[in-house]
Amino acid sequence: MGVAFNEFLNAVRITNARRLLSEGYSVEETSDRCGFAAPSYFTKVFKKYTGVTPTAWRKRGQKANN
């Protein structure tokens, strides 16, 4: 596949996290559901992959649904 397993796993987790956040789940709940041990680490990884924090992503998703 050309990527380390951890990178692949994080990419899958972040894809799922974007969906959950867009559906209105909290950052803490999303972190837990996606298998991250700590919301702070989830936030760090999420920002690495998306360029924005989970809170900003969630707010953007809520604006799109209004």
Side-chain angles (χ1 to χ4, degrees):
M1 294 177 81
V3 296
F5 176 74
N6 192 43
E7 291 292 320
F8 173 75
L9 181 60
N10 279 339
V12 170
R13 287 174 167 176
I14 296 303
T15 298
N16 190 36
R18 291 189 313 221
R19 180 183 56 80
L20 291 172
L21 290 166
S22 295
E23 291 175 2
Y25 287 92
S26 71
V27 173
E28 293 79 13
E29 193 170 17
T30 300
S31 171
D32 187 51
R33 286 177 177 247
C34 292
F36 288 92
S40 59
Y41 180 67
F42 166 66
T43 297
K44 179 180 176 179
V45 173
F46 190 91
K47 188 168 183 178
K48 175 185 172 186
Y49 280 82
T50 64
V52 297
T53 65
T55 301
W57 183 276
R58 188 169 177 245
K59 287 179 183 176
R60 185 169 66 181
Q62 290 174 342
K63 287 181 185 176
N65 291 333
N66 290 334

